[in-house]
Amino acid sequence: MVQVNSVNIRPGVNVLSVLPHLNYKSWFALAEFVDNSIQSSIDNKKALKATDSARYQLRVDIDFDAPGNLIIIKDNAAGIASGDYQRAFRPAEIPPDASGLSEFGMGMKSAACWFAPNWSVRSSALAENVERTIIFDIDKIVHDSTEELSVLQMRVSENKHYTEIRLENIRRFPRGKTIQKIKEHLSSIYRVYIREGSLALYVDGQELSYENPAILTAPIYREPDGEPVEWKLPIDLDLGDGKSASGFVAIRETASTRLAGLALFRRKRLIMGSADEAYRPEDIFGRSNTYPYQRMFGEIHLKGFFVSHTKDGIKWEESEEEFLRKLRKILSEEEFPLLQQAREHRTKTSAKAKRKDAAAALKTTAFSLQDATLAANENTGGRVAAVLPGVDDSTKPQDETLPDLDSADVEQAEFRLRFRSETWVVAIELSYAEDTAEWLTIRDRPSITDPAPRQLTVRVAMLHPFMAQFPTMDSESFTAILNIASAMALAEVVAGELADKNPAAVRRYTNEILKNQMSKRLMNG
């Protein structure tokens, strides 16, 4: 064991004043400390198991102390050995073996300085009976051009092994939703280590876990009655110059615009695509309103690539285009057309999942149409009816029989309007019934057969293939669709009132085009 009384932090202590300005996100900054812990446990695996038993498992705790404006990171790894102290605390001192997770010699220093102007490291190395503490006051170090820091020491048992980092006076203290995002991202970044059981990672006392998305099992899109297939495809690409990509790409059972996409790993640690920041190149995933964008996911392990010094980006150089070209080719092969399956597979679940937004849009549409009708009637002084001639009832559209729907299968809203000196009740229905209904159907009950008030029902089939083309619609988008549907229905009735010979033909042709032409074009496009 080397006697350590001080550590030299040259060269250029002024670099420490630059580190707070790095373009970190808090989860990637915290990941720097976890990386060091993991690498320490890997490098000393045999010795740790010999000391703690064969069941040894690395544990890393990250605790946020908001009242104290303090973050504490501690582990039960092998600690910082006396022979490594000079290197460990000198900025940009690359370790002798840079093939692991600690490769730049900057992780702990840069992340600590990014978080806080004051921080300390307390560590006891395995098989050494000394605990050492080093305290950093960055402003004082830079102001005084300090090049050596004293090491505080105390005796402990040789079997003690740990490192504790205390970040004080935090510049960017995570709160509320940010802490939840940190948990989500860290569990995603270290999913491989968590899955294999070599790492127990805790944040504020909660052990993090990673839940693998359920993979779609369904018949191939062109054979809807065929045998179900698990839509997961192994990937193994040779990218030349010693570079390769392996892993898998799959289709999620439940689509997610937020969480779909690729996760890119190097050395079992995620670099790009954690949690809701997935890697989704448009060449493969398309834009955000497409099914592949919200259905496809995967884990790709890269070899032979360098990463940014903050470990949140791949240095592709000229290889990304080749990677995407080869990946797209294998995903599009006729034998297992995963990309096409992601485009074409249809599920009733996605439409039902957006039912809340559709219901909100329904109310908005009803209110806006009623307000617009009332305004128009006021502006014409109640003379809307006068501009339309009387018509023979035989020219009106035939009354269509709409089957009654169970309340669980329908959303409904209605509004009233004055038209041709009559009060009309217009009901707009969103049907979630499991049927093959046309996209738009209406029922008009004329005054002769069904005295006042006139009743018009407009029904939109929400499980229609046309609606399935728009998986990411929000309430505003639904409002636009419902406005179109309502306008078509009302226009047909008006056409009937104006003695058009075959007003329903407009709607029939519209339904046919939407189902057979537009739906097919949108699905394949």
Side-chain angles (χ1 to χ4, degrees):
M1 181 175 65
V2 178
Q3 182 68 26
V4 182
N5 296 314
S6 65
V7 292
N8 189 295
I9 58 174
R10 289 181 299 177
V13 294
N14 285 332
V15 72
L16 298 176
S17 65
V18 177
L19 298 178
H21 305 291
L22 288 175
N23 188 28
Y24 263 130
K25 291 182 178 176
S26 51
W27 40 90
F28 278 114
L30 290 168
E32 296 283 12
F33 305 114
V34 182
D35 283 351
N36 286 348
S37 298
I38 291 174
Q39 195 58 49
S40 174
S41 70
I42 292 173
D43 292 342
N44 299 275
K45 185 176 181 180
K46 289 184 179 179
L48 287 166
K49 287 190 173 183
T51 302
D52 287 17
S53 85
R55 294 193 301 274
Y56 168 80
Q57 181 187 43
L58 171 66
R59 172 167 175 156
V60 180
D61 285 82
I62 301 172
D63 293 303
F64 298 99
D65 179 356
N69 197 18
L70 174 71
I71 299 175
I72 302 173
I73 306 102
K74 54 188 176 184
D75 67 33
N76 65 341
I80 304 174
S82 57
D84 292 331
Y85 259 73
Q86 299 300 331
R87 176 195 58 78
F89 294 97
R90 188 179 297 129
E93 186 77 12
I94 297 174
D97 182 3
S99 62
L101 298 183
S102 302
E103 57 187 303
F104 298 112
M106 284 294 293
M108 177 181 66
K109 282 84 73 175
S110 59
C113 290
W114 183 82
F115 267 117
N118 305 98
W119 52 279
S120 63
V121 179
R122 182 170 65 91
S123 181
S124 175
L126 187 64
E128 296 184 10
N129 61 357
V130 178
E131 176 193 276
R132 302 178 181 90
T133 301
I134 299 178
I135 300 172
F136 281 76
D137 182 335
I138 302 304
D139 291 340
K140 189 175 188 305
I141 289 171
V142 173
H143 181 270
D144 297 341
S145 296
T146 303
E147 294 187 347
E148 284 196 347
L149 296 178
S150 297
V151 177
L152 306 178
Q153 303 184 57
M154 64 177 289
R155 288 194 175 276
V156 294
S157 167
E158 287 188 358
N159 292 328
K160 296 282 188 179
H161 52 92
Y162 52 84
T163 298
E164 179 182 286
I165 299 170
R166 297 172 64 89
L167 310 175
E168 303 180 51
N169 301 320
I170 305 297
R171 296 186 182 90
R172 309 167 181 86
F173 197 92
R175 300 179 187 276
K177 293 182 179 179
T178 303
I179 292 180
Q180 184 55 41
K181 287 199 71 173
I182 287 171
K183 293 178 180 179
E184 187 177 18
H185 280 273
L186 289 178
S187 64
S188 181
I189 291 169
Y190 295 104
R191 68 181 77 172
V192 175
Y193 294 98
I194 292 171
R195 271 197 302 240
E196 68 184 18
S198 61
L199 169 67
L201 181 55
Y202 290 77
V203 176
D204 280 344
Q206 176 189 350
E207 184 173 8
L208 303 188
S209 61
Y210 181 78
E211 183 176 351
N212 298 312
I215 297 173
L216 175 69
T217 299
I220 192 169
Y221 68 94
R222 54 178 176 255
E223 299 174 13
D225 297 322
E227 288 295 318
V229 176
E230 183 185 52
W231 288 95
K232 179 178 180 180
L233 181 65
I235 302 297
D236 191 2
L237 305 176
D238 184 351
L239 303 176
D241 296 327
K243 298 176 180 177
S244 64
S246 61
F248 73 89
V249 177
I251 299 176
R252 295 176 60 98
E253 181 178 83
T254 303
S256 172
T257 302
R258 194 176 80 90
L259 296 177
L262 298 180
L264 304 184
F265 294 79
R266 194 194 62 151
R267 303 173 184 175
K268 295 167 61 172
R269 190 260 210 201
L270 185 145
I271 303 298
M272 292 179 64
S274 65
D276 59 351
E277 297 180 345
Y279 176 69
R280 282 185 276 204
E282 191 171 321
D283 285 355
I284 293 175
F285 287 83
R287 298 186 179 180
S288 60
N289 63 345
T290 64
Y291 272 119
Y293 188 93
Q294 64 169 331
R295 279 186 174 156
M296 287 171 50
F297 78 102
E299 296 181 2
I300 304 294
H301 294 261
L302 301 173
K303 291 184 179 179
F305 288 87
F306 293 103
V307 298
S308 64
H309 74 281
T310 50
K311 299 180 194 170
D312 57 1
I314 304 292
K315 291 188 175 181
W316 291 102
E317 296 175 346
E318 304 298 323
S319 299
E320 186 174 19
E321 186 176 339
E322 178 72 356
F323 166 66
L324 294 178
R325 184 185 69 81
K326 289 188 173 183
L327 182 59
R328 183 181 177 87
K329 181 179 178 182
I330 194 172
L331 295 178
S332 304
E333 289 179 352
E334 188 68 18
E335 183 179 350
F336 198 79
L338 189 140
L339 184 56
Q340 193 70 2
Q341 179 74 13
R343 289 194 186 113
E344 302 289 357
H345 177 71
R346 295 293 174 262
T347 174
K348 308 298 184 186
T349 306
S350 57
K352 292 178 178 178
K354 304 294 288 184
R355 185 166 175 171
K356 184 177 180 180
D357 286 334
L362 178 62
K363 293 180 180 179
T364 299
T365 301
F367 286 141
S368 63
L369 287 174
Q370 176 158 294
D371 290 345
T373 301
L374 293 174
N377 198 43
E378 290 174 0
N379 291 338
T380 57
R383 291 179 285 107
V384 175
V387 301
L388 298 176
V391 295
D392 183 358
D393 286 324
S394 64
T395 66
K396 294 178 181 178
Q398 295 296 311
D399 181 23
E400 296 187 15
T401 301
L402 291 181
D404 291 332
L405 297 176
D406 188 280
S407 60
D409 292 331
V410 66
E411 298 286 348
Q412 184 178 30
E414 66 178 38
F415 61 95
R416 290 174 175 263
L417 60 84
R418 289 289 295 174
F419 181 63
R420 294 183 57 75
S421 301
E422 296 177 282
T423 297
W424 287 57
V425 177
V426 181
I428 307 176
E429 295 182 350
L430 307 184
S431 169
Y432 289 88
E434 302 285 347
D435 57 23
T436 56
E438 293 184 327
W439 175 64
L440 177 65
T441 47
I442 68 172
R443 176 173 58 199
D444 173 29
R445 293 183 176 175
S447 57
I448 290 179
T449 61
D450 194 355
R454 291 285 297 274
Q455 296 181 13
L456 175 65
T457 302
V458 182
R459 181 176 291 175
V460 178
M462 301 302 287
L463 305 185
H464 189 278
F466 174 68
M467 298 301 291
Q469 312 316 304
F470 310 102
T472 60
M473 283 199 297
D474 55 16
S475 59
E476 290 185 1
S477 303
F478 279 120
T479 299
I481 292 288
L482 295 179
N483 278 329
I484 293 172
S486 300
M488 290 175 62
L490 290 168
E492 181 177 320
V493 173
V494 171
E497 297 290 334
L498 293 174
D500 189 296
K501 292 183 179 180
N502 191 12
V506 176
R507 175 167 49 87
R508 287 202 302 273
Y509 286 132
T510 299
N511 277 319
E512 182 178 340
I513 291 169
L514 287 175
K515 184 173 184 179
N516 298 328
Q517 274 73 41
M518 291 187 68
S519 295
K520 181 178 179 181
R521 176 177 64 81
L522 287 165
M523 282 191 288
N524 294 334

